[in-house]
Amino acid sequence: MNFDYSDDQKMLKEEARRFLAAKCDARAVRAVLDDAGQSHDAGLWRAVAEQGWLGTAIPEAYGGLGLGHVELCALAEELGRACAPIPFASTVYFVAEALMLFGSEAQKAKWLPRIAAGEVIGAFATSEGKGPVTRRSIRTTVSGGKLTGEKIPVTDGDVADLIVVLAKDGLYLVEKGAGVSPEVLTTLDPTRSAAKLVLSGAPAERLGDEDGIDAMQAVFDRAAVLLAFEQIGGADRSLEMAKGYALERFAFGRAIAGYQAIKHKLADIYVKNEIARSNAYYGAWALNTSAAELPLAAATARVAASEAFWFASKENIQTHGGIGFTWEADPQLLYRRSRQLSLVAGAPSTWRERLVSQLEARNAA
């Protein structure tokens, strides 16, 4: 079984890397970081939509490219490398996937073409700020087709046009407007905005008939694989940045890359990155084929990628030494993103518990 990208998928990655190098360099990311009133790079969002990336895995019948999830994983990796400050994950990995999994024909026909065209920004609202999401912890309710409750934090909730909300009895679609009050939150990574959403009788439409927690986890499993590829992209970029600086920085007459302590740092990053990549490839296969192993593959990919990106971004700062901690240095961009991505769709501890439970279930079968 070949878990590597095909030649066409490698070409897609290469084109995506060139595109993002031109449209999303460190200056573009910093422009969002430094501007408190800018939630994302609107120009990059339009450019990505024009490339068709938003509809990569959306069927052609709904205005997408219909390429598949492996191609979407390839794009996710390049977006992670570039630390792209756009609501791609919230819209594509979560909302579009939820619609494709549970949406009615009418809901798919209404929303998926608009997502593929970049006309709609999505958000997935599950957490209520009280630890892991469980059936007992959910307080958001629906009465007469209207939602009442609070969700915090909601990634890209301040700019979302369409929000998938977890209530006590299931998932619901909510459009921005009446009954939806977003409050922007201050987070470690301002290049990906977050908000507290207060729902006060917001008009809502049921998304599927499944139990809310089960439906949420099904979306999380799919998103976890795609997020893992973003994290791998960021981890690889961290390694490249650390290596490049180590080769250029001289101390006591020699490049610091020649010192054993730096060599060990870079080698440790490389090992963790490759472990994460192999697990992510397994997840991509499971996602693309809708394999029964997807819950296990998703948890494995998520745990390994979260650890790899955090470690690589941290060691990148350490390799840069004193300058690595300054505002002018770019390693902070990747470190911030590593922290942000590790908390989307559940903290690493939650995914480790899910991995253990999946392994126990498999061994008991």
Side-chain angles (χ1 to χ4, degrees):
M1 184 178 294
N2 182 11
F3 283 111
D4 197 6
Y5 291 118
S6 68
D7 290 341
D8 287 343
Q9 290 160 353
K10 289 177 181 178
M11 185 179 299
L12 175 65
K13 279 182 89 271
E14 291 169 2
E15 290 298 324
R17 185 171 300 187
R18 281 194 287 268
F19 172 84
L20 290 168
K23 299 285 187 179
C24 186
D25 59 10
R27 290 173 297 178
V29 180
R30 280 183 172 274
V32 178
L33 177 66
D34 293 335
D35 186 351
Q38 188 176 358
S39 62
H40 66 285
D41 187 334
L44 178 61
W45 178 253
R46 289 191 297 270
V48 164
E50 290 170 359
Q51 293 291 312
W53 293 2
L54 298 171
T56 302
I58 295 175
E60 291 182 86
Y62 300 110
L65 298 180
L67 293 179
H69 284 92
V70 174
E71 287 79 5
L72 184 55
C73 288
L75 292 175
E77 185 175 347
E78 296 308 317
L79 288 164
R81 283 180 57 87
C83 220
I86 53 176
F88 192 92
S90 299
T91 305
V92 178
Y93 309 164
F94 290 92
V95 174
E97 289 295 327
L99 283 164
M100 288 190 287
L101 277 175
F102 305 116
S104 65
E105 186 60 32
Q107 290 169 335
K108 293 176 183 178
K110 178 180 179 180
W111 292 110
L112 289 177
R114 296 180 65 189
I115 288 174
E119 298 171 359
V120 169
I121 292 174
F124 201 72
T126 57
S127 173
E128 299 188 359
K130 299 291 183 180
V133 178
T134 63
R135 288 180 176 82
R136 180 172 294 183
S137 71
I138 303 170
R139 297 184 297 276
T140 300
T141 58
V142 61
S143 178
K146 296 187 175 182
L147 277 171
T148 300
E150 293 184 358
K151 293 295 181 180
I152 179 173
V154 180
T155 304
D156 301 310
D158 55 322
V159 294
D161 304 294
L162 178 66
I163 309 160
V164 177
V165 179
L166 174 65
K168 278 186 174 294
D169 62 338
L171 295 179
Y172 286 84
L173 291 174
V174 177
E175 298 182 50
K176 73 174 182 181
V180 181
S181 301
E183 176 187 330
V184 179
L185 301 175
T186 300
T187 67
L188 181 63
D189 185 8
T191 65
R192 290 299 308 280
S193 65
K196 173 183 177 181
L197 294 183
V198 179
L199 306 167
S200 306
E205 181 181 356
R206 183 70 184 258
L207 181 63
D209 299 321
E210 288 75 11
D211 171 79
I213 293 294
D214 292 342
M216 177 197 74
Q217 191 59 61
V219 176
F220 277 7
D221 284 344
R222 301 171 81 81
V225 176
L226 297 162
L227 290 170
F229 276 90
E230 277 206 21
Q231 291 170 308
I232 289 168
D236 276 352
R237 178 63 188 130
S238 297
L239 176 57
E240 289 177 6
M241 190 181 292
K243 175 186 172 183
Y245 183 80
L247 290 170
E248 295 174 357
R249 177 74 169 93
F250 277 70
F252 304 106
R254 60 187 293 197
I256 64 172
Y259 292 101
Q260 191 175 53
I262 299 298
K263 289 180 179 179
H264 286 179
K265 282 183 184 295
L266 300 182
D268 288 343
I269 296 173
Y270 176 80
V271 170
K272 288 182 180 291
N273 286 6
E274 290 306 299
I275 291 173
R277 182 177 297 280
S278 65
N279 286 318
Y281 281 1
Y282 175 41
W285 165 80
L287 174 59
N288 199 54
T289 60
S290 299
E293 294 96 324
L294 178 58
L296 173 60
T300 305
R302 179 70 167 149
V303 170
S306 294
E307 170 66 19
F309 193 11
W310 169 76
F311 183 81
S313 63
K314 174 178 70 74
E315 292 301 299
N316 182 28
I317 292 175
Q318 294 291 334
T319 301
H320 279 72
I323 195 174
F325 292 88
T326 65
W327 186 262
E328 291 76 13
D330 290 336
Q332 61 164 311
L333 303 176
L334 291 159
Y335 183 81
R336 289 173 185 272
R337 184 58 58 87
S338 77
R339 298 292 78 205
Q340 188 269 336
L341 285 178
S342 71
L343 296 176
V344 176
S349 59
T350 301
W351 284 98
R352 283 193 289 269
E353 291 177 6
R354 182 163 175 75
L355 174 58
V356 171
S357 67
Q358 289 296 317
L359 289 171
E360 290 177 341
R362 187 186 67 175
N363 293 337

